Amino acid sequence: MWRRVRPRIGKLLTWLRVPGIIVEQTYEAAITPATVRVHLGPLFSVVSVNGLDVYFHRLTGKIDGVGFSPPAGYTPDEAP
């Protein structure tokens, strides 16, 4: 029964414009070389996928911008 009720509750919450819950975590995909990281800051929630950061405004949930964070151990090449 829960499998039929859950989607209906989700649709109701979407209709009521209730924000979703997000938690700070890091996820390493097993089937592909992908790393997903979620960081919660005072102004923005940041979702990073393989170093590409997407900034979401904490109060509105709208995308505020994108950025890049190099992976740990990254050393740029030097031009000759």
Side-chain angles (χ1 to χ4, degrees):
M1 178 170 154
W2 181 245
R3 292 177 69 190
R4 291 189 328 203
V5 173
R6 233 171 98 178
R8 291 180 183 171
I9 292 172
K11 286 180 182 180
L12 175 65
L13 293 173
T14 300
W15 183 75
L16 293 173
R17 302 186 59 82
V18 175
I21 298 171
I22 188 168
V23 295
E24 195 159 322
Q25 61 185 317
T26 300
Y27 175 78
E28 298 282 337
I31 62 171
T32 186
T35 301
V36 180
R37 184 176 149 262
V38 179
H39 173 72
L40 305 175
L43 299 176
F44 302 100
S45 297
V46 183
V47 177
S48 300
V49 179
N50 289 347
L52 177 66
D53 302 332
V54 182
Y55 294 84
F56 295 88
H57 192 273
R58 287 291 300 259
L59 298 177
T60 64
K62 293 183 179 180
I63 295 176
D64 194 70
V66 295
F68 174 75
S69 59
Y74 172 79
T75 55
D77 290 336
E78 293 183 6

